[in-house]
Amino acid sequence: MLNRISKKIAGWCYAGTRRGDVEITAYGIELLLDTLTKLLALIIIAIFIGCLQEMLIVLIVFSSLRFFAGGFHMHTGLGCFLSMAFIFGLSFLVDKLAFFYNILIPKNVLALVLLVLIGLVFLYAPSATQNNPITDKRILRRKRLGSVVLSILLAFVIWYLPDNMKLWAFVPFICEVVTILPIVNNKTTREEG
């Protein structure tokens, strides 16, 4: 369905002008519509359960680091949506369990885990995928630098967040770092060399 809509929009964009590459434009529009649909669905779910602010934190942390660090990708839009819903659900569950059992992460443990996460980002980011191999050395360096700088920034944000919000940023940070590890992204890493 998104494919047909995208082709119609792309055809409309090029109507009355000399033809561009309608197929590439349609594909770009389809990706945009797919992303917006998933984002809207996640936001509606968050509003429904009363966790919009928390969903936004999860999305910002995970997506911003994913932009630079890459990592394992699902093969379908539905898989992508379900994995993001899982990360949100995991964040929700961890936060509620920590609240219920009155668990606070000790500062020294938090510092250690954040340092390990930054180290893993330094070692393994950016992680290429089949659909997005990184062959240009300049892009590779830029994404690596962006990944490390952003992970350091996220660590500081997590460190200074109030305790009731800390896990909402900490869990997606961990999840994104897991997706760049060779044990998770081994097939892609091997295929891309």
Side-chain angles (χ1 to χ4, degrees):
M1 183 169 119
L2 285 179
N3 187 289
R4 286 194 316 256
I5 293 170
S6 300
K7 286 182 180 179
K8 286 185 181 191
I9 293 171
W12 175 77
C13 288
Y14 286 108
T17 64
R18 62 185 183 95
R19 285 291 201 208
D21 199 336
V22 177
E23 289 299 316
I24 291 175
T25 303
Y27 181 67
I29 292 169
E30 183 177 354
L31 291 177
L32 177 65
L33 292 175
D34 182 53
T35 301
L36 290 174
T37 302
K38 290 184 285 195
L39 183 62
L40 185 61
L42 289 168
I43 288 173
I44 289 170
I45 291 169
I47 290 170
F48 183 71
I49 63 173
C51 293
L52 180 60
Q53 179 182 358
E54 293 84 352
M55 173 62 88
L56 293 176
I57 291 170
V58 170
L59 285 170
I60 289 168
V61 170
F62 187 83
S63 301
S64 61
L65 189 54
R66 164 130 332 218
F67 177 77
F68 289 103
F72 179 79
H73 281 271
M74 302 305 275
H75 294 290
T76 65
L78 178 60
C80 179
F81 171 78
L82 292 175
S83 65
M84 197 63 228
F86 172 78
I87 292 167
F88 173 72
L90 183 63
S91 302
F92 181 85
L93 179 65
V94 168
D95 181 69
K96 295 308 172 201
L97 287 173
F99 176 77
F100 183 75
Y101 290 108
N102 198 23
I103 298 171
L104 292 175
I105 302 172
K107 289 287 189 181
N108 56 347
V109 172
L110 179 63
L112 178 65
V113 173
L114 289 172
L115 285 173
V116 167
L117 292 172
I118 292 168
L120 291 171
V121 168
F122 179 77
L123 289 173
Y124 298 114
S127 181
T129 63
Q130 289 173 312
N131 293 338
N132 190 17
I134 305 170
T135 55
D136 187 329
K137 297 292 183 194
R138 289 177 301 157
I139 293 173
L140 185 68
R141 282 193 303 271
R142 199 173 322 135
K143 283 191 172 276
R144 180 178 306 263
L145 178 63
S147 298
V148 171
V149 169
L150 185 58
S151 66
I152 292 169
L153 178 65
L154 287 173
F156 277 108
V157 168
I158 291 167
W159 183 264
Y160 289 108
L161 273 174
D163 288 335
N164 65 329
M165 299 302 289
K166 201 174 291 293
L167 291 172
W168 288 101
F170 192 52
V171 172
F173 187 17
I174 292 170
C175 290
E176 170 52 22
V177 171
V178 166
T179 71
I180 67 171
L181 297 177
I183 195 164
V184 173
N185 210 16
N186 188 27
K187 180 180 177 200
T188 303
T189 304
R190 190 171 52 247
E191 288 171 2
E192 297 305 327

